Amino acid sequence: TITSIITFVSSAAALRRVILASSHPHPLWTTTTRSMSASSSSFEKMGVVGLGLMGHGICQVAASSGIHSKGVVAFEPQQSFLEAGRTRIETSLSKLVQKTKISPQHADETLNNITWTTNMDDLQDADLIVEAVIENIDLKRDLYTNLGHTCQPSTIFASNTSSLSITEMAQFSGRPSHFVGVHFFNPVQLMKLVEVIRTSETSPDVLDKATQWVKDIGKV
C-alpha cells in the first residue's frame, strides 16, 4: 500500500539519521532544555490524548519546549488515568532536576504549561493533537470519530502509532488531509528521533507544519 511504502521510506530515512547522529558530537540520548521564551510555534495550542508510556513523554516535551503560547492540553477519559499521567510527568521532571538537566524553575514552568482534563471539549480549539493511546484499532476508530466531530476543522491530528495504518485512522477522523503519523521513540524525553509519516491524502502544508513542530520541540 501507499502508506506501507511511505512508512518504509520514512523508516529508511530515520535509520540514516540514526547513523549520522551516531557520528555526531551530540548524541541521540540527550535532554533538550529550552527557554520558556523560545519562539512560538504555528500551533498556539496543542493537545495530547493518552498519558501512558509514550503520551506522558510527548506531553512533557511539548510543554517543556515553551513554544505553545496557549499551552498544552493533557487529555484522558478517566480521572485515574489523568492523575497517573500527571504523576509520571512530575516524577520525570523531578529526576531531571536532581540530575541538574533542568532547573527547578523550568520544571515548574513545564507543569504550568499543561492543562489537565477529562473533557474532550477542551480540545476543540487545539491546533494540533497528538494521539498516544493503546494500539487498538477499534479504540482509535471511536476516538478519531469523536475528535473529528469535536475539534475545529483546521485541527491537525497526529498518531504516535508504530503498527497501525495511518491511512485507516485518517479516514476515521473525517479529515484525511489533516492527518499525519508522528512516531516518537522511548523514552521520549531522551530520544531525539521522531518519524513524521504522511499518507497519499496528507496536505503538503500539514506535513510541513508537523515536521517543523518536531524540530521546534527539539527533535530530529
Side-chain angles (χ1 to χ4, degrees):
T1 64
I2 290 176
T3 303
S4 297
I5 294 171
I6 292 168
T7 301
F8 174 80
V9 172
S10 179
S11 296
L15 179 59
R16 288 196 298 273
R17 289 198 296 272
V18 171
I19 294 171
L20 289 172
S22 67
S23 61
H24 196 276
H26 300 288
L28 276 174
W29 288 80
T30 61
T31 301
T32 301
T33 302
R34 301 185 58 164
S35 168
M36 287 296 174
S37 61
S39 59
S40 297
S41 166
S42 58
F43 302 128
E44 292 184 338
K45 179 177 179 180
M46 76 155 294
V48 178
V49 176
L51 299 176
L53 179 65
M54 301 299 290
H56 88 278
I58 296 170
C59 183
Q60 178 182 326
V61 168
S64 182
S65 72
I67 63 172
H68 302 290
S69 60
K70 296 182 180 179
V72 177
V73 178
F75 170 81
E76 278 281 10
Q78 297 182 29
Q79 187 66 33
S80 60
F81 293 161
L82 188 68
E83 292 173 358
R86 178 166 186 157
T87 298
R88 282 176 182 259
I89 293 175
E90 290 174 341
T91 300
S92 175
L93 290 170
S94 178
K95 289 180 179 178
L96 292 174
V97 170
Q98 290 173 9
K99 295 178 180 179
T100 66
K101 298 294 186 181
I102 62 173
S103 68
Q105 179 183 0
H106 190 90
D108 289 341
E109 289 175 342
T110 297
L111 289 172
N112 289 337
N113 278 345
I114 304 173
T115 298
W116 312 89
T117 186
T118 57
N119 184 356
M120 186 175 286
D121 287 343
D122 290 332
L123 296 169
Q124 63 183 351
D125 59 343
D127 301 300
L128 170 70
I129 293 177
V130 178
E131 168 267 311
V133 304
I134 60 173
E135 297 285 62
N136 180 301
I137 196 63
D138 293 327
L139 174 63
K140 291 178 189 278
R141 177 187 296 110
D142 292 342
L143 173 63
Y144 280 118
T145 299
N146 289 332
L147 285 173
H149 291 314
T150 300
C151 298
Q152 59 188 353
S154 60
T155 301
I156 295 173
F157 295 154
S159 177
N160 183 59
T161 187
S162 60
S163 61
L164 299 178
S165 169
I166 298 294
T167 297
E168 189 173 6
M169 287 184 284
Q171 296 301 321
F172 298 155
S173 73
R175 57 183 76 187
S177 66
H178 280 55
F179 203 106
V180 294
V182 284
H183 181 214
F184 288 78
F185 290 79
N186 187 44
V188 175
Q189 295 92 330
L190 300 179
M191 290 294 285
K192 289 184 70 66
L193 184 63
V194 178
E195 292 178 291
V196 180
I197 306 163
R198 66 178 178 86
T199 75
S200 61
E201 297 187 71
T202 302
S203 161
D205 180 59
V206 166
L207 180 64
D208 288 345
K209 286 181 177 180
T211 302
Q212 185 60 50
W213 174 76
V214 167
K215 295 176 181 178
D216 288 344
I217 63 172
K219 304 298 185 181
V220 295

